[in-house]
Amino acid sequence: QGDSRAAGGRRQASDKRFVMGGGGDRMFHMLKGGTLPNEPLSRNPERSAERSLALYNIAKCETGFVCVAGAGALMQSCPAPETLENSFVKLKVGDNRERDELAACFMETGYEFTDPVTEPGSFAFRGGLLDLFPPGRRLPYRIEFFGDELESIRSFDPQTQRSMKRENEIVIPPMRETH
């Protein structure tokens, strides 16, 4: 029943975006998270990640916005803005990042080490490559390192392993909220 309510909420958000004239960048659908704060395993990591992403976007929004949320989502505690900001990983071509530090960060925020990467919430390091599948994306990212320097970021098809689109900078949401 919770999933059908979530689908109904997404449909309402889509309808409201249409009425707002495409102001979808200021329209957020916030679900009740799948876990309590800092609970080790999420019952629904995709839902928790979607909630974190909505909170992050709301915090970044400098003009008016619309948030579609049920009573359960509104009653659930939220992380402090600084904590929320720090739970997102920002990666940019040319940055220097230690792979062990990134792996620890992904594990802390609910990602699972899985090779190959085929599902949201998974990541894998293989040599100088990091494959990462954030929630809310159709395709995962492949990040190429030269030593500790990020040399390239691109999306790829997990079935064919073909690169699709190059990115210069990405923001990776956590799979669960951190407080």
Side-chain angles (χ1 to χ4, degrees), residues 99-168:
R99 287 178 269 200
D100 290 345
E101 186 180 296
L102 281 174
C105 180
F106 294 138
M107 296 291 284
E108 269 178 33
T109 58
Y111 284 82
E112 291 184 20
F113 184 87
T114 324
D115 194 9
V117 169
T118 57
E119 299 288 323
S122 57
F123 79 99
F125 278 103
R126 291 179 288 109
L129 297 176
L130 163 61
D131 288 348
L132 174 71
F133 205 148
R137 288 207 28 98
R138 197 174 58 77
L139 296 171
Y141 290 114
R142 177 159 289 150
I143 300 157
E144 191 173 353
F145 286 86
F146 183 74
D148 285 342
E149 184 179 342
L150 276 74
E151 201 165 70
S152 72
I153 302 171
R154 54 192 187 275
S155 57
F156 74 97
D157 183 325
Q159 301 300 318
T160 65
Q161 298 294 305
R162 287 190 56 203
S163 294
M164 305 302 273
K165 180 183 175 196
R166 285 190 173 273
E167 305 280 349
N168 187 50

